[in-house]
Amino acid sequence: MGNTVAVVGGGYGGAALANALDADFDVVLVDPKDAFVHTVAALRGLVDEDWSRRIYFGFDGLLRRGRHVRDRAVAVDEHGVTTARGLRLDADYVVLATGSSYPYPAKQHDDDAAAARDRHAATRAALAGAERVLLLGAGPVGLELAGEITERWPGRRVVLVDPADDVLGGRYLPELRATLREQLSERGVEFVFGSALDAEPPVPFGVRRPFTVHTRAGVRVDADLWFRCYGVSPLSDMLGGALAAARRSDGHVEVDEHLRVPGAPNVFAIGDVTAVPEPKRSKAASEHAAVVAENIAALAAGRKPERVYRPGGEAVLVPLGSTGGASQVPGPDGPVVLGPAETVRHKGGDLLVGRYAELFGSGEPVAG
Ligand SMILES: Cc1cc2nc3c(=O)[nH]c(=O)nc-3n(C[C@H](O)[C@H](O)[C@H](O)COP(=O)(O)OP(=O)(O)OC[C@H]3O[C@@H](n4cnc5c(N)ncnc54)[C@H](O)[C@@H]3O)c2cc1C
């Protein structure tokens, strides 16, 4: 067997894996974007121009030997990748790391970092002039966005609507939900729980234009701008050949304990796209990458893959701007709730930017 590894997707999992294998394999990283997007800091980038320059890292700094093919995979099978431009990339090992889609602004839909940054700037200008902002969904993204908006524009009226009866869909410890509710209420954020809207707002998301909506329970909300803060969806529809059978009806891809796609000994999947039963997180995607790097090295050396991945426990970190927030993490005697100071220390302060500046070599984020 040869030495070529096709990594499809250069997000948290794919970038880490491509980097780990670069010295010993011929790595081809396929991604239509010109830069890695540090999604964890995307919402800070939305409200803060300085931050919007800090969340893109050009792929150039990631690989010394390998190459980045700037194209979208439209078909992935056990022998390689076919791209939207009609390129066929044959490979000895294939790793699916295509992640998931999420409505803007939590995830970027532009493949050019410059265009993505311009879109953030336009949305920021719309937000700056909007007195009332409606956020649909009080999960981690809705809460984090409410925190960023109220830190950047104190006193801005933000209303979070969610069909569940509490933030985070009622999941996690009650203390966690209580402190997040309290911190946001102190900033003037309002919650409308227990009922979804009876119809989508009559204005496109992110556009500033006054509108009125009602929940099914009859609560009226007036706003100038809205965003959808729910709707994550794994990106796996390019799987073909024998791999298609590993794709579940929800789009997640089955993997075994070595993160190998069943029935395809040379194909792995990592990150959000997998059906690994754990919260979908960048940290998990990076850990998957380390496991798969070892297992591909074992296969290339003629051994069986030995490194096993154990799903991570429930954990959530919700920064509310650069000073607030709360988290739930595993502790020695069960889950524990961390307050604003510790959440800021873990995530809120630099939003983990330093870690990715290091991975991408330059130490300096690439501004699109
Ligand atoms: C607002 C927000 C905040 C978050 N905060 C945290 C946090 O604090 N901590 C944490 O652990 N997690 C956090 N997450 C979750 C985290 O972002 C995801 O778990 C992580 O992005 C998953 O990494 P991934 O490598 O699987 O996929 P992604 O990061 O989604 O990367 C996938 C890559 O694949 C590429 N791609 C997609 N389709 C194709 C194709 N057909 N061909 C080629 N390339 C393709 C994309 O362009 C992209 O570059 C947050 C998510 C959001 C939205």
Side-chain angles (χ1 to χ4, degrees), residues 7-15 30-33 35-43 59 69 71-76 81 96-103 105-108 111 140-141 144 235 237-238 270-274 279-286 288 317-319 347 351-352:
V7 179
V8 189
Y12 292 93
V30 185
D31 196 304
K33 296 192 191 306
F36 167 85
V37 182
H38 183 34
T39 301
V40 168
L43 299 177
F59 284 116
V69 172
D71 206 348
R72 184 175 302 281
V74 290
V76 176
V81 179
L96 190 71
T98 42
S100 54
S101 66
Y102 199 97
K107 281 211 169 172
Q108 313 263 355
D111 290 336
V141 170
E144 191 173 327
L235 294 170
D237 58 358
M238 72 299 287
I270 59 177
D272 278 13
V273 76
T274 67
K280 301 300 178 204
R281 304 182 61 220
S282 60
K283 188 163 176 279
S286 313
H288 295 176
L317 281 81
V318 186
K347 179 176 167 184
L351 292 169
L352 316 179

Side-chain angles (χ1 to χ4, degrees), residues 36-38 41 44-45 48-57 117 349-354 356-357 364-368:
F36 167 85
V37 182
H38 183 34
R44 181 85 40 93
D48 183 321
E49 186 183 350
D50 183 39
W51 269 92
S52 80
R53 297 177 186 284
R54 301 176 67 189
I55 60 174
Y56 306 100
F57 296 89
R117 215 183 54 218
D350 95 321
L351 292 169
L352 316 179
V353 160
Y356 294 95
E364 284 297 320
V366 169

